[in-house]
Amino acid sequence: GTRSAVLNTEARTVEADVLSRRCVMMRLVDFSYEQYEKALRQSAGAVVIILPRSISSVPQDVVRQFMEIEPEMLAMETIVPVYFAVEDEELLSIYEQTRAASASQGSASAAEVLLHTATANGFQMVTSGAQSKAINDWLIPSVEGRLTGLGGEDLPTVVIVAHYDSFGVAPWLSHGADSNGSGISVLLELARLFSRLYTYRRTHAGYNLLFFASGGGKFNYQGTKRWLEDNLDHTDSSLLQDNVAFVLCLDTLGRGNSLHLHVSKPPKEGTLQHAFLRELEMVVASQFPEVKFSMVHKKINLAEDMLAWEHERFAIRRLPAFTISHLESHRDSLRNSIMDRRARIDTKALTRNTQIIAEALTRVIYNLTEKGAPADMQIFTDQMQIQQEQLESVMDWLSSQPRAAQLIDKDSTFLNTLEYYMGRYLKDVKQHHVKADKRDPEFVFYDQLKQVMNAYRVKPAIFDLLLAVCIAAYLGVAYVAVQHFGLLYKMIQRLYLKTKQQ
């Protein structure tokens, strides 16, 4: 991306022939990577991409095209400032006027171009902020909580993880509904369901449940990495040190008719993670036959800078882990896009996926299959059913605000609300903080993520030039007229005197 932010230049649209040192305005519905590259090649002063208020109103092919372009925009380093703005009536009026002025430059007649250029109104785009600079003391918070199992001290632990942060080409517009608002929604609903089961002695299972809402997921799962280091390397006693049955990571679960269990190493028969895989397959086949389920095996590639899925952080530390998602590939552009909005979430699919995970997890923890429970027996019904209304309200809350890691600190309203919500159902809820390593940071945050841009209505520079020419011509004509009038006056005066003498 760009590290530049300051702007003071004239507005144009891509229809103009010359874009150099101009602020190029584009609407999302007309956006293409070729136009974007054209602006960069011509050394534009800035690029402003105008987004509609409702993404659902944009044709799906346009949304898909932009989502495919976003990774390249993020990967390309450029000195040209790139802004995103949400459209309103005034902004669209500025765009249409600028577009009309830009299109007229392609007229056949040079005189027409000159006349239109001289008489047209233009806009000077000016930002009021300062230049972006690196933040050296950033902090990434996470939240953990637990439900303690019933029985001896050395109980196996099931860890349930989802990262809460979002990502996209513009942090303030990154709402991350599916990735990973849906994962956090499922995590909170599982916390609610199992807290009720763990309230009564007859349904209190012999497993510890550890819930972790991680931060920095979009930055190579930084919150999870440091959490593991603190629990495995710097602590004498931790639920992660002794007897971890498996780690279940929740990611992008808000739509589609497929579920995929992503693993770094296929689970061995006889292990609890293998039992969970079999329970997932059985629950899907017997209760939700419309869902396509599969296991996706992908080895960890340590040569790559970024890990594919969150479970790989645990697998590197030799903890059995997997990620469940409706996406078949970690490279899907949906995971890192500002187009990932609430309108793209299918609440019924989210509720169904939550039930599938809850049913399979419960069958494993309570060993129901071995006890003879039928495959089509639904556990969460009546008073214990999945609450679709609650999932909807949580999704509305999560997707109503940007959750880019750069925007969230330990005192943010979002994090305090998340901590409070987890505290309603879990014990020992607390924050875990990741601080920047100033000597060798793995990534760098920058400030000035939001700028105020003012549009001033101005005449073009050629108007001033023509006005000066007209004034000079007027003064010249006036001077000549005065000179001629003086000569004429002298001639009349001489003629009068001569006539009088006669």
Side-chain angles (χ1 to χ4, degrees):
T2 177
R3 297 181 185 180
S4 301
V6 178
L7 173 65
N8 187 348
T9 186
E10 191 178 353
R12 286 285 186 271
T13 62
V14 289
E15 285 81 8
D17 294 330
V18 179
L19 302 178
S20 177
R21 291 181 291 179
R22 302 291 193 275
C23 176
V24 182
M25 303 179 72
M26 306 178 182
R27 290 185 68 189
L28 179 64
V29 291
D30 306 318
F31 179 83
S32 71
Y33 195 63
E34 291 74 21
Q35 293 174 332
Y36 179 70
E37 281 192 314
K38 175 187 174 182
L40 298 186
R41 281 198 310 270
Q42 293 195 24
S43 301
V47 174
V48 176
I49 300 173
I50 303 172
L51 303 175
R53 283 196 173 277
S54 174
I55 298 298
S56 58
S57 64
V58 182
Q60 288 302 304
D61 58 333
V62 175
V63 173
R64 279 195 301 270
Q65 180 190 25
F66 182 81
M67 289 170 62
E68 292 170 0
I69 292 170
E70 251 186 291
E72 296 196 37
M73 295 177 70
L74 282 162
M76 180 186 297
E77 185 172 350
T78 171
I79 61 172
V80 177
V82 181
Y83 291 90
F84 290 84
V86 179
E87 68 182 17
D88 57 23
E89 290 184 6
E90 291 181 344
L91 183 55
L92 288 179
S93 175
I94 292 171
Y95 172 80
E96 292 299 338
Q97 292 180 63
T98 304
R99 185 178 185 183
S102 301
S104 69
Q105 294 181 351
S107 302
S109 170
E112 289 179 1
V113 174
L114 185 63
L115 179 63
H116 190 278
T117 303
T119 57
N121 288 318
F123 293 93
Q124 190 79 6
M125 314 303 287
V126 181
T127 55
S128 57
Q131 186 65 43
S132 297
K133 61 180 183 297
I135 301 173
N136 297 319
D137 57 347
W138 51 261
L139 181 145
I140 294 178
S142 303
V143 185
E144 65 174 287
R146 67 183 67 187
L147 292 172
T148 305
L150 180 66
E153 295 182 357
D154 189 24
L155 293 176
T157 298
V158 173
V159 186
I160 302 171
V161 181
H163 66 274
Y164 64 75
D165 56 312
S166 56
F167 191 70
V169 71
W172 274 99
L173 297 174
S174 302
H175 291 243
D178 200 1
S179 179
N180 192 30
S182 63
I184 288 292
S185 298
V186 175
L187 181 142
L188 294 176
E189 183 66 1
L190 291 177
R192 184 188 71 83
L193 293 172
F194 282 97
S195 69
R196 294 191 64 181
L197 289 174
Y198 275 49
T199 299
Y200 306 103
R201 186 175 181 86
R202 62 189 179 86
T203 57
H204 201 154
Y207 284 86
N208 298 316
L209 298 181
L210 184 57
F211 294 82
F212 186 57
S214 62
K218 304 300 186 180
F219 289 89
N220 216 13
Y221 307 104
Q222 201 67 208
T224 300
K225 178 185 177 184
R226 298 284 186 89
W227 185 61
L228 284 169
E229 290 173 355
D230 287 349
N231 279 276
L232 298 180
D233 302 334
H234 307 139
T235 304
D236 294 333
S237 178
S238 166
L239 290 180
L240 293 175
Q241 281 184 328
D242 305 322
N243 188 5
V244 174
F246 60 82
V247 180
L248 174 62
C249 299
L250 309 169
D251 195 329
T252 49
L253 293 162
R255 56 184 307 188
N257 285 320
S258 61
L259 278 178
H260 305 281
L261 193 69
H262 297 269
V263 300
S264 303
K265 186 178 181 181
K268 295 181 179 179
E269 287 195 33
T271 61
L272 203 67
Q273 58 266 37
H274 186 269
F276 180 70
L277 169 62
R278 291 290 168 257
E279 295 291 358
L280 274 174
E281 292 175 334
M282 187 172 64
V283 169
V284 169
S286 60
Q287 300 181 30
F288 304 94
E290 74 279 7
V291 177
K292 174 188 173 184
F293 177 80
S294 68
M295 183 183 74
V296 180
H297 175 213
K298 177 192 169 299
K299 293 183 178 180
I300 301 174
N301 187 357
L302 296 177
E304 291 185 358
D305 293 332
M306 303 291 287
L307 296 178
W309 299 98
E310 191 159 16
H311 73 265
E312 295 184 356
R313 277 287 171 216
F314 295 91
I316 289 173
R317 300 304 299 260
R318 301 188 182 281
L319 294 175
F322 27 61
T323 297
I324 188 165
S325 168
H326 72 76
L327 298 177
E328 191 169 3
S329 170
H330 67 282
R331 300 186 186 279
D332 195 295
S333 56
L334 174 69
R335 301 182 71 204
N336 300 301
S337 176
I338 61 174
M339 297 290 107
D340 183 12
R341 296 296 186 92
R342 176 68 175 86
R344 297 180 64 85
I345 296 295
D346 181 349
T347 308
K348 290 184 178 179
L350 179 64
T351 305
R352 179 202 63 208
N353 292 340
T354 304
Q355 178 140 10
I356 291 172
I357 295 168
E359 295 277 345
L361 193 57
T362 305
R363 295 182 73 91
V364 167
I365 290 176
Y366 292 93
N367 199 21
L368 295 183
T369 299
E370 294 296 323
K371 294 177 180 178
D376 59 353
M377 182 188 76
Q378 287 196 0
I379 301 163
F380 294 98
T381 58
D382 300 327
Q383 298 299 319
M384 282 292 292
Q385 68 180 342
I386 310 296
Q387 293 185 356
Q388 181 172 324
E389 295 81 5
Q390 181 150 319
L391 281 170
E392 286 181 341
S393 64
V394 171
M395 277 304 313
D396 290 342
W397 166 62
L398 288 167
S399 57
S400 66
Q401 56 198 311
R403 301 190 314 282
Q406 305 98 309
L407 307 178
I408 296 175
D409 57 33
K410 62 180 180 179
D411 298 319
S412 69
T413 302
F414 164 75
L415 198 74
N416 290 332
T417 306
L418 178 62
E419 185 176 8
Y420 167 78
Y421 199 104
M422 293 177 67
R424 291 175 61 185
Y425 307 117
L426 307 176
K427 305 295 184 184
D428 300 326
V429 174
K430 59 184 178 182
Q431 291 189 21
H432 180 273
H433 299 146
V434 174
K435 295 182 179 180
D437 185 347
K438 296 182 180 180
R439 294 171 299 178
D440 185 25
E442 294 194 34
F443 51 89
V444 179
F445 287 155
Y446 284 79
D447 62 5
Q448 301 297 330
L449 299 176
K450 182 187 285 188
Q451 288 273 8
V452 175
M453 185 181 296
N454 299 295
Y456 296 99
R457 188 185 298 275
V458 295
K459 289 290 186 181
I462 195 171
F463 174 80
D464 296 333
L465 178 62
L466 288 178
L467 184 61
V469 170
C470 291
I471 293 173
Y474 170 77
L475 293 175
V477 170
Y479 175 77
V480 170
V482 169
Q483 291 293 324
H484 281 245
F485 180 77
L487 291 173
L488 182 62
Y489 176 76
K490 288 179 179 180
M491 288 176 64
I492 293 173
Q493 189 179 37
R494 288 174 184 173
L495 182 61
Y496 172 75
L497 292 174
K498 187 176 180 181
T499 304
K500 188 175 181 181
Q501 289 175 356
Q502 290 178 351

